[in-house]
Tab-separated table of all heavy atoms in Angstrom:
chain	number	residue	atom	x	y	z
A	26	MET	N	-19.343	2.736	11.135
A	26	MET	CA	-18.678	1.415	11.152
A	26	MET	C	-19.550	0.437	11.909
A	26	MET	O	-20.024	0.761	13.055
A	26	MET	CB	-17.307	1.479	11.811
A	26	MET	CG	-16.530	0.269	11.705
A	26	MET	SD	-14.841	0.443	12.295
A	26	MET	CE	-15.148	0.605	14.059
A	27	ALA	N	-19.823	-0.706	11.401
A	27	ALA	CA	-20.640	-1.724	12.025
A	27	ALA	C	-19.851	-2.638	12.923
A	27	ALA	O	-18.641	-2.800	12.796
A	27	ALA	CB	-21.329	-2.530	10.972
A	28	TYR	N	-20.586	-3.255	13.863
A	28	TYR	CA	-19.981	-4.279	14.685
A	28	TYR	C	-19.807	-5.514	13.828
A	28	TYR	O	-20.495	-5.776	12.887
A	28	TYR	CB	-20.893	-4.613	15.865
A	28	TYR	CG	-20.683	-3.796	17.115
A	28	TYR	CD1	-20.892	-2.424	17.069
A	28	TYR	CD2	-20.204	-4.352	18.285
A	28	TYR	CE1	-20.685	-1.610	18.199
A	28	TYR	CE2	-19.984	-3.567	19.394
A	28	TYR	CZ	-20.190	-2.209	19.364
A	28	TYR	OH	-19.947	-1.433	20.433
A	29	GLN	N	-18.781	-6.332	14.231
A	29	GLN	CA	-18.573	-7.616	13.573
A	29	GLN	C	-18.487	-8.630	14.658
A	29	GLN	O	-18.047	-8.386	15.747
A	29	GLN	CB	-17.234	-7.547	12.771
A	29	GLN	CG	-17.322	-6.614	11.611
A	29	GLN	CD	-16.063	-6.673	10.743
A	29	GLN	OE1	-15.030	-7.120	11.179
A	29	GLN	NE2	-16.158	-6.188	9.548
A	30	ILE	N	-18.828	-9.883	14.337
A	30	ILE	CA	-18.696	-10.974	15.310
A	30	ILE	C	-17.435	-11.791	14.970
A	30	ILE	O	-17.329	-12.308	13.866
A	30	ILE	CB	-19.959	-11.863	15.286
A	30	ILE	CG1	-21.130	-11.029	15.818
A	30	ILE	CG2	-19.749	-13.124	16.136
A	30	ILE	CD1	-22.499	-11.740	15.772
A	31	THR	N	-16.551	-11.881	15.949
A	31	THR	CA	-15.295	-12.559	15.690
A	31	THR	C	-15.453	-14.118	15.825
A	31	THR	O	-16.467	-14.608	16.213
A	31	THR	CB	-14.205	-12.142	16.740
A	31	THR	OG1	-14.583	-12.603	18.007
A	31	THR	CG2	-14.094	-10.602	16.776
A	32	ASP	N	-14.360	-14.791	15.575
A	32	ASP	CA	-14.351	-16.227	15.661
A	32	ASP	C	-14.507	-16.780	17.074
A	32	ASP	O	-14.654	-17.971	17.327
A	32	ASP	CB	-13.071	-16.832	15.084
A	32	ASP	CG	-13.049	-16.655	13.531
A	32	ASP	OD1	-14.068	-16.368	12.930
A	32	ASP	OD2	-11.948	-16.793	12.922
A	33	GLU	N	-14.505	-15.869	18.057
A	33	GLU	CA	-14.721	-16.247	19.444
A	33	GLU	C	-16.167	-16.708	19.652
A	33	GLU	O	-16.461	-17.401	20.684
A	33	GLU	CB	-14.474	-15.078	20.396
A	33	GLU	CG	-13.063	-14.491	20.354
A	33	GLU	CD	-12.053	-15.494	20.742
A	33	GLU	OE1	-12.174	-16.041	21.792
A	33	GLU	OE2	-11.118	-15.759	19.935
A	34	CYS	N	-17.057	-16.366	18.789
A	34	CYS	CA	-18.491	-16.750	18.903
A	34	CYS	C	-18.714	-18.238	19.074
A	34	CYS	O	-18.130	-19.046	18.361
A	34	CYS	CB	-19.230	-16.270	17.645
A	34	CYS	SG	-20.995	-16.733	17.658
A	35	ILE	N	-19.525	-18.560	20.118
A	35	ILE	CA	-19.887	-19.981	20.372
A	35	ILE	C	-21.277	-20.307	19.947
A	35	ILE	O	-21.857	-21.359	20.320
A	35	ILE	CB	-19.678	-20.310	21.857
A	35	ILE	CG1	-20.518	-19.350	22.759
A	35	ILE	CG2	-18.176	-20.232	22.262
A	35	ILE	CD1	-20.500	-19.730	24.245
A	36	SER	N	-21.858	-19.418	19.160
A	36	SER	CA	-23.180	-19.622	18.612
A	36	SER	C	-24.271	-19.882	19.660
A	36	SER	O	-25.143	-20.737	19.446
A	36	SER	CB	-23.176	-20.721	17.563
A	36	SER	OG	-22.387	-20.419	16.457
A	37	CYS	N	-24.205	-19.161	20.744
A	37	CYS	CA	-25.200	-19.352	21.816
A	37	CYS	C	-26.553	-18.693	21.440
A	37	CYS	O	-27.560	-19.087	22.013
A	37	CYS	CB	-24.706	-18.793	23.132
A	37	CYS	SG	-24.624	-16.999	23.174
A	38	GLY	N	-26.525	-17.720	20.561
A	38	GLY	CA	-27.749	-17.068	20.137
A	38	GLY	C	-28.250	-15.942	20.977
A	38	GLY	O	-29.259	-15.345	20.735
A	39	ALA	N	-27.575	-15.614	22.093
A	39	ALA	CA	-28.028	-14.651	23.028
A	39	ALA	C	-28.200	-13.241	22.415
A	39	ALA	O	-29.079	-12.470	22.758
A	39	ALA	CB	-27.106	-14.527	24.248
A	40	CYS	N	-27.318	-12.924	21.484
A	40	CYS	CA	-27.314	-11.531	20.898
A	40	CYS	C	-28.426	-11.326	19.935
A	40	CYS	O	-28.882	-10.210	19.771
A	40	CYS	CB	-25.989	-11.322	20.238
A	40	CYS	SG	-25.543	-12.529	18.965
A	41	GLU	N	-28.895	-12.354	19.276
A	41	GLU	CA	-29.882	-12.246	18.188
A	41	GLU	C	-31.128	-11.425	18.566
A	41	GLU	O	-31.523	-10.512	17.875
A	41	GLU	CB	-30.246	-13.621	17.623
A	41	GLU	CG	-31.073	-13.552	16.397
A	41	GLU	CD	-31.358	-14.890	15.750
A	41	GLU	OE1	-31.129	-15.919	16.426
A	41	GLU	OE2	-31.826	-14.904	14.622
A	42	SER	N	-31.673	-11.758	19.716
A	42	SER	CA	-32.922	-11.106	20.115
A	42	SER	C	-32.670	-9.752	20.740
A	42	SER	O	-33.586	-8.962	20.951
A	42	SER	CB	-33.687	-11.976	21.113
A	42	SER	OG	-32.903	-12.210	22.283
A	43	GLU	N	-31.456	-9.407	21.027
A	43	GLU	CA	-31.094	-8.104	21.649
A	43	GLU	C	-30.969	-7.002	20.590
A	43	GLU	O	-31.048	-5.788	20.879
A	43	GLU	CB	-29.774	-8.205	22.403
A	43	GLU	CG	-29.856	-9.084	23.610
A	43	GLU	CD	-30.871	-8.576	24.649
A	43	GLU	OE1	-30.888	-7.355	24.876
A	43	GLU	OE2	-31.568	-9.363	25.228
A	44	CYS	N	-30.758	-7.350	19.370
A	44	CYS	CA	-30.514	-6.401	18.308
A	44	CYS	C	-31.783	-5.637	17.964
A	44	CYS	O	-32.753	-6.286	17.556
A	44	CYS	CB	-29.891	-7.022	17.088
A	44	CYS	SG	-29.529	-5.806	15.803
A	45	PRO	N	-31.809	-4.322	18.081
A	45	PRO	CA	-33.050	-3.574	17.811
A	45	PRO	C	-33.461	-3.544	16.354
A	45	PRO	O	-34.605	-3.196	16.022
A	45	PRO	CB	-32.736	-2.129	18.305
A	45	PRO	CG	-31.216	-2.069	18.215
A	45	PRO	CD	-30.739	-3.464	18.537
A	46	VAL	N	-32.544	-3.883	15.493
A	46	VAL	CA	-32.856	-3.849	14.064
A	46	VAL	C	-32.716	-5.216	13.415
A	46	VAL	O	-32.693	-5.356	12.155
A	46	VAL	CB	-32.000	-2.830	13.302
A	46	VAL	CG1	-32.347	-1.401	13.723
A	46	VAL	CG2	-30.494	-3.093	13.562
A	47	SER	N	-32.662	-6.232	14.258
A	47	SER	CA	-32.617	-7.614	13.774
A	47	SER	C	-31.486	-7.845	12.704
A	47	SER	O	-31.691	-8.475	11.706
A	47	SER	CB	-33.948	-8.071	13.155
A	47	SER	OG	-34.989	-7.981	14.146
A	48	ALA	N	-30.331	-7.300	13.027
A	48	ALA	CA	-29.222	-7.386	12.079
A	48	ALA	C	-28.383	-8.646	12.291
A	48	ALA	O	-27.483	-8.936	11.489
A	48	ALA	CB	-28.308	-6.144	12.220
A	49	ILE	N	-28.679	-9.425	13.360
A	49	ILE	CA	-27.910	-10.602	13.667
A	49	ILE	C	-28.630	-11.899	13.292
A	49	ILE	O	-29.827	-12.021	13.607
A	49	ILE	CB	-27.542	-10.613	15.211
A	49	ILE	CG1	-26.874	-9.308	15.588
A	49	ILE	CG2	-26.688	-11.782	15.482
A	49	ILE	CD1	-26.661	-9.190	17.070
A	50	SER	N	-27.908	-12.774	12.678
A	50	SER	CA	-28.506	-14.060	12.291
A	50	SER	C	-27.456	-15.174	12.408
A	50	SER	O	-26.238	-14.888	12.411
A	50	SER	CB	-29.074	-14.011	10.881
A	50	SER	OG	-28.053	-13.726	9.971
A	51	ALA	N	-27.888	-16.386	12.463
A	51	ALA	CA	-26.992	-17.501	12.535
A	51	ALA	C	-26.302	-17.788	11.230
A	51	ALA	O	-26.964	-17.864	10.192
A	51	ALA	CB	-27.767	-18.802	12.962
A	52	GLY	N	-24.967	-17.895	11.224
A	52	GLY	CA	-24.262	-18.154	10.002
A	52	GLY	C	-23.805	-19.636	10.009
A	52	GLY	O	-24.274	-20.402	10.821
A	53	ASP	N	-22.899	-19.978	9.173
A	53	ASP	CA	-22.435	-21.316	9.022
A	53	ASP	C	-21.719	-21.844	10.295
A	53	ASP	O	-21.995	-22.924	10.780
A	53	ASP	CB	-21.547	-21.533	7.845
A	53	ASP	CG	-22.335	-21.437	6.519
A	53	ASP	OD1	-23.584	-21.661	6.549
A	53	ASP	OD2	-21.742	-21.128	5.476
A	54	ASP	N	-20.759	-21.065	10.749
A	54	ASP	CA	-19.971	-21.518	11.933
A	54	ASP	C	-19.956	-20.486	13.059
A	54	ASP	O	-19.327	-20.686	14.084
A	54	ASP	CB	-18.565	-21.892	11.505
A	54	ASP	CG	-17.902	-20.783	10.742
A	54	ASP	OD1	-18.438	-19.717	10.617
A	54	ASP	OD2	-16.755	-21.089	10.214
A	55	LYS	N	-20.639	-19.393	12.879
A	55	LYS	CA	-20.790	-18.380	13.946
A	55	LYS	C	-21.948	-17.490	13.593
A	55	LYS	O	-22.416	-17.546	12.424
A	55	LYS	CB	-19.526	-17.565	14.147
A	55	LYS	CG	-19.146	-16.731	12.904
A	55	LYS	CD	-17.878	-15.926	13.116
A	55	LYS	CE	-17.593	-15.112	11.890
A	55	LYS	NZ	-16.342	-14.248	12.077
A	56	TYR	N	-22.381	-16.619	14.505
A	56	TYR	CA	-23.431	-15.693	14.168
A	56	TYR	C	-22.803	-14.528	13.394
A	56	TYR	O	-21.646	-14.238	13.537
A	56	TYR	CB	-24.091	-15.198	15.439
A	56	TYR	CG	-25.235	-16.080	15.863
A	56	TYR	CD1	-25.019	-17.460	16.114
A	56	TYR	CD2	-26.578	-15.624	15.948
A	56	TYR	CE1	-26.092	-18.336	16.461
A	56	TYR	CE2	-27.594	-16.476	16.307
A	56	TYR	CZ	-27.342	-17.826	16.565
A	56	TYR	OH	-28.397	-18.651	16.910
A	57	VAL	N	-23.608	-13.868	12.578
A	57	VAL	CA	-23.090	-12.824	11.719
A	57	VAL	C	-23.956	-11.567	11.821
A	57	VAL	O	-25.192	-11.652	12.104
A	57	VAL	CB	-23.005	-13.267	10.237
A	57	VAL	CG1	-21.989	-14.331	10.061
A	57	VAL	CG2	-24.367	-13.757	9.744
A	58	ILE	N	-23.393	-10.420	11.587
A	58	ILE	CA	-24.047	-9.106	11.649
A	58	ILE	C	-24.187	-8.514	10.220
A	58	ILE	O	-23.154	-8.466	9.502
A	58	ILE	CB	-23.316	-8.142	12.559
A	58	ILE	CG1	-23.427	-8.631	13.998
A	58	ILE	CG2	-23.903	-6.734	12.408
A	58	ILE	CD1	-22.578	-7.866	14.977
A	59	ASP	N	-25.402	-8.090	9.868
A	59	ASP	CA	-25.543	-7.417	8.616
A	59	ASP	C	-25.059	-5.941	8.780
A	59	ASP	O	-25.632	-5.113	9.427
A	59	ASP	CB	-27.068	-7.373	8.291
A	59	ASP	CG	-27.372	-6.632	6.991
A	59	ASP	OD1	-26.451	-5.956	6.449
A	59	ASP	OD2	-28.548	-6.674	6.517
A	60	ALA	N	-23.889	-5.686	8.227
A	60	ALA	CA	-23.239	-4.419	8.373
A	60	ALA	C	-24.078	-3.238	7.910
A	60	ALA	O	-23.976	-2.097	8.406
A	60	ALA	CB	-21.852	-4.427	7.683
A	61	ASP	N	-24.918	-3.479	6.930
A	61	ASP	CA	-25.739	-2.383	6.376
A	61	ASP	C	-26.887	-1.996	7.341
A	61	ASP	O	-27.384	-0.879	7.324
A	61	ASP	CB	-26.338	-2.796	5.008
A	61	ASP	CG	-25.271	-2.901	3.988
A	61	ASP	OD1	-24.233	-2.150	4.077
A	61	ASP	OD2	-25.415	-3.692	3.023
A	62	ALA	N	-27.276	-2.947	8.187
A	62	ALA	CA	-28.350	-2.699	9.119
A	62	ALA	C	-27.873	-2.251	10.482
A	62	ALA	O	-28.584	-1.569	11.218
A	62	ALA	CB	-29.236	-3.965	9.251
A	63	CYS	N	-26.702	-2.642	10.891
A	63	CYS	CA	-26.180	-2.380	12.234
A	63	CYS	C	-26.092	-0.903	12.548
A	63	CYS	O	-25.598	-0.105	11.759
A	63	CYS	CB	-24.787	-3.008	12.368
A	63	CYS	SG	-24.007	-2.673	13.967
A	64	LEU	N	-26.585	-0.580	13.753
A	64	LEU	CA	-26.664	0.853	14.183
A	64	LEU	C	-25.440	1.201	15.118
A	64	LEU	O	-25.438	2.339	15.631
A	64	LEU	CB	-27.920	1.094	14.979
A	64	LEU	CG	-29.259	0.836	14.286
A	64	LEU	CD1	-30.413	1.061	15.206
A	64	LEU	CD2	-29.394	1.756	13.035
A	65	ASP	N	-24.603	0.216	15.362
A	65	ASP	CA	-23.472	0.450	16.287
A	65	ASP	C	-23.927	0.729	17.733
A	65	ASP	O	-23.305	1.489	18.449
A	65	ASP	CB	-22.641	1.666	15.832
A	65	ASP	CG	-21.404	1.242	15.034
A	65	ASP	OD1	-20.981	0.119	15.183
A	65	ASP	OD2	-20.926	2.082	14.272
A	66	CYS	N	-25.022	0.138	18.128
A	66	CYS	CA	-25.559	0.396	19.481
A	66	CYS	C	-24.819	-0.326	20.607
A	66	CYS	O	-24.791	0.091	21.745
A	66	CYS	CB	-27.035	0.063	19.537
A	66	CYS	SG	-27.366	-1.723	19.576
A	67	GLY	N	-24.175	-1.459	20.230
A	67	GLY	CA	-23.402	-2.196	21.219
A	67	GLY	C	-24.189	-3.170	22.101
A	67	GLY	O	-23.626	-3.780	22.970
A	68	ALA	N	-25.475	-3.267	21.851
A	68	ALA	CA	-26.348	-4.176	22.705
A	68	ALA	C	-25.853	-5.608	22.579
A	68	ALA	O	-25.864	-6.357	23.562
A	68	ALA	CB	-27.785	-4.067	22.210
A	69	CYS	N	-25.433	-6.040	21.435
A	69	CYS	CA	-24.960	-7.434	21.259
A	69	CYS	C	-23.710	-7.677	22.086
A	69	CYS	O	-23.587	-8.729	22.736
A	69	CYS	CB	-24.731	-7.724	19.761
A	69	CYS	SG	-23.655	-6.534	18.925
A	70	ALA	N	-22.816	-6.745	22.094
A	70	ALA	CA	-21.605	-6.882	22.838
A	70	ALA	C	-21.908	-6.985	24.317
A	70	ALA	O	-21.236	-7.677	25.096
A	70	ALA	CB	-20.657	-5.731	22.587
A	71	GLY	N	-22.974	-6.303	24.805
A	71	GLY	CA	-23.309	-6.288	26.185
A	71	GLY	C	-23.852	-7.602	26.695
A	71	GLY	O	-23.754	-7.891	27.897
A	72	VAL	N	-24.413	-8.435	25.872
A	72	VAL	CA	-24.966	-9.675	26.302
A	72	VAL	C	-24.097	-10.923	25.983
A	72	VAL	O	-24.329	-11.987	26.429
A	72	VAL	CB	-26.387	-9.908	25.727
A	72	VAL	CG1	-27.317	-8.849	26.201
A	72	VAL	CG2	-26.354	-10.012	24.198
A	73	CYS	N	-23.114	-10.720	25.073
A	73	CYS	CA	-22.332	-11.881	24.662
A	73	CYS	C	-21.400	-12.409	25.793
A	73	CYS	O	-20.651	-11.645	26.379
A	73	CYS	CB	-21.437	-11.473	23.451
A	73	CYS	SG	-20.424	-12.815	22.882
A	74	PRO	N	-21.455	-13.678	26.088
A	74	PRO	CA	-20.650	-14.265	27.184
A	74	PRO	C	-19.176	-14.387	26.874
A	74	PRO	O	-18.358	-14.555	27.786
A	74	PRO	CB	-21.309	-15.653	27.374
A	74	PRO	CG	-21.836	-15.998	26.053
A	74	PRO	CD	-22.352	-14.712	25.493
A	75	VAL	N	-18.824	-14.244	25.590
A	75	VAL	CA	-17.389	-14.397	25.227
A	75	VAL	C	-16.813	-13.161	24.563
A	75	VAL	O	-15.723	-13.137	24.038
A	75	VAL	CB	-17.178	-15.640	24.316
A	75	VAL	CG1	-17.533	-16.924	25.108
A	75	VAL	CG2	-17.984	-15.565	23.045
A	76	GLY	N	-17.592	-12.021	24.534
A	76	GLY	CA	-17.099	-10.843	23.946
A	76	GLY	C	-16.812	-10.907	22.461
A	76	GLY	O	-15.905	-10.223	21.958
A	77	ALA	N	-17.597	-11.702	21.769
A	77	ALA	CA	-17.308	-11.842	20.318
A	77	ALA	C	-17.686	-10.645	19.440
A	77	ALA	O	-16.973	-10.314	18.502
A	77	ALA	CB	-18.037	-13.086	19.793
A	78	PRO	N	-18.780	-9.907	19.762
A	78	PRO	CA	-19.076	-8.730	18.900
A	78	PRO	C	-18.015	-7.632	19.127
A	78	PRO	O	-17.778	-7.219	20.257
A	78	PRO	CB	-20.454	-8.285	19.411
A	78	PRO	CG	-21.048	-9.507	20.023
A	78	PRO	CD	-19.870	-10.171	20.638
A	79	SER	N	-17.451	-7.161	18.047
A	79	SER	CA	-16.406	-6.160	18.168
A	79	SER	C	-16.634	-5.008	17.245
A	79	SER	O	-17.103	-5.166	16.127
A	79	SER	CB	-15.084	-6.840	17.783
A	79	SER	OG	-14.037	-5.865	17.651
A	80	ALA	N	-16.333	-3.809	17.724
A	80	ALA	CA	-16.522	-2.612	16.900
A	80	ALA	C	-15.274	-2.322	16.087
A	80	ALA	O	-15.229	-1.372	15.320
A	80	ALA	CB	-16.866	-1.411	17.827
A	81	GLU	N	-14.172	-3.121	16.278
A	81	GLU	CA	-12.940	-2.898	15.548
A	81	GLU	C	-13.109	-3.226	14.081
A	81	GLU	O	-13.684	-4.258	13.762
A	81	GLU	CB	-11.858	-3.796	16.147
A	81	GLU	CG	-11.669	-3.633	17.619
A	81	GLU	CD	-10.879	-2.358	17.898
A	81	GLU	OE1	-9.971	-2.007	17.108
A	81	GLU	OE2	-11.119	-1.679	18.929
B	981	SF4	FE1	-27.490	-4.972	16.387
B	981	SF4	FE2	-26.512	-2.985	17.951
B	981	SF4	FE3	-25.115	-5.259	17.667
B	981	SF4	FE4	-25.381	-3.578	15.601
B	981	SF4	S1	-24.279	-3.126	17.587
B	981	SF4	S2	-25.596	-5.807	15.489
B	981	SF4	S3	-27.418	-2.771	15.900
B	981	SF4	S4	-27.186	-5.053	18.667
B	982	SF4	FE1	-21.965	-15.578	19.366
B	982	SF4	FE2	-21.797	-13.925	21.477
B	982	SF4	FE3	-23.920	-13.805	19.847
B	982	SF4	FE4	-23.553	-15.895	21.510
B	982	SF4	S1	-23.964	-13.744	22.104
B	982	SF4	S2	-24.178	-16.024	19.313
B	982	SF4	S3	-21.342	-16.157	21.452
B	982	SF4	S4	-21.807	-13.312	19.280
């Protein structure tokens, strides 16, 4: 199961460079995770100031 970024995202961009497989990119109104590439490592959740990346 991949991480997903919830609507809490404030598009700060902090998570993008933390992802080891570059699965995160800027979307229209929030950042988004490519579910097929995500390794479930949790690095994005660790740096997000608002806890937007969720494994749920
Ligand atoms: Fe990238 Fe890891 Fe976040 Fe998945 S959980 S998007 S692999 S940083
Ligand atoms: Fe959005 Fe959090 Fe990533 Fe910033 S670190 S772009 S708030 S998911």
Side-chain angles (χ1 to χ4, degrees):
M26 188 173 70
Y28 270 65
Q29 295 184 341
I30 293 176
T31 68
D32 291 344
E33 300 299 306
C34 176
I35 55 173
S36 295
C37 71
C40 57
E41 187 174 14
S42 60
E43 294 298 319
C44 182
V46 292
S47 300
I49 305 173
S50 61
D53 288 338
D54 52 7
K55 64 179 181 178
Y56 273 59
V57 293
I58 292 172
D59 177 350
D61 291 331
C63 177
L64 302 175
D65 262 339
C66 72
C69 51
V72 299
C73 180
V75 295
S79 170
E81 303 284 326

